[in-house]
Amino acid sequence: MLKNITKKKGDPVLVELGIHCEEWRLPYSDIINEINFLSVSKPDVALEALRILCENDFFMFCILVLELPINHPYLLSLAYEVQDHAFENSLWLHPRDHWKSTLISFARTLWKFCRDPAHKVFLFSNSLKLAKPHFMLLKRTMESNELLKTLWDHVFW
């Protein structure tokens, strides 16, 4: 049973500047309700619908599969930005502690693996001390996240 989410109100000034996002691209609450309804009568169809939703919507992948608490206007905006800018040759200039590593290095990497199992990743850091926790988080998640392994059993096992 998936948890339902509610829309969060953003700061009007930050919404106008494009830092906060209040509008969902999809009716997420309705979609979650439909998937929950299907999971009772047709569990295979519900899993397939969830897989398709998460492959096409980065925000839902983060919320439902990785269970990241990103239901916030700033993080919604950042999730949409990550989804829209699929190009790899970019530099993301965000301040420290603003979810850049979590959403880009961690969540986007897993999302890309789900969408393309042949995707290759290179974690670059100026110190092993900084890189190792990011690598270990990816490794632990790929090994222990049961929903990830259920939806993409051809990628994670």
Side-chain angles (χ1 to χ4, degrees):
M1 197 76 151
L2 303 173
K3 293 183 285 185
N4 212 337
I5 60 173
T6 57
K7 215 181 272 190
K8 303 286 184 188
K9 191 88 171 129
D11 182 284
V13 174
L14 295 176
V15 169
E16 189 175 326
L17 291 172
I19 296 171
H20 277 187
C21 180
E22 290 182 325
E23 297 303 316
W24 287 343
R25 292 184 175 173
L26 299 171
Y28 296 128
S29 294
D30 296 340
I31 293 170
I32 290 172
N33 288 337
E34 289 293 324
I35 291 174
N36 283 335
F37 179 76
L38 277 174
S39 67
V40 174
S41 59
K42 299 177 182 176
D44 292 342
V45 174
L47 285 175
E48 181 65 14
L50 182 59
R51 185 187 63 75
I52 291 169
L53 171 66
C54 291
E55 281 182 2
N56 292 297
D57 193 285
F58 182 68
F59 177 68
M60 281 286 93
F61 177 77
C62 292
I63 292 270
L64 299 176
V65 176
L66 300 180
E67 298 179 356
L68 295 174
I70 66 166
N71 189 20
H72 181 277
Y74 168 71
L75 297 172
L76 174 65
S77 175
L78 187 56
Y80 286 159
E81 187 178 345
V82 169
Q83 178 176 333
D84 292 344
H85 297 92
F87 50 87
E88 299 292 328
N89 300 326
S90 61
L91 178 63
W92 294 79
L93 299 174
H94 293 271
R96 287 194 179 274
D97 299 323
H98 279 70
W99 287 76
K100 182 177 65 173
S101 294
T102 302
L103 288 180
I104 297 169
S105 300
F106 171 64
R108 187 177 114 195
T109 299
L110 291 173
W111 188 56
K112 287 194 162 271
F113 282 149
C114 295
R115 297 168 53 147
D116 177 13
H119 180 71
K120 294 179 179 40
V121 174
F122 177 75
L123 291 177
F124 182 76
S125 177
N126 63 346
S127 76
L128 179 62
K129 184 178 169 183
L130 294 174
K132 194 170 183 177
H134 289 288
F135 175 75
M136 294 307 293
L137 179 61
L138 282 166
K139 181 181 181 292
R140 275 193 309 273
T141 303
M142 286 188 264
E143 291 174 346
S144 64
N145 186 315
E146 293 304 319
L147 186 55
L148 195 67
K149 293 191 286 187
T150 300
L151 295 176
W152 294 280
D153 58 354
H154 63 288
V155 180
F156 308 101
W157 58 91

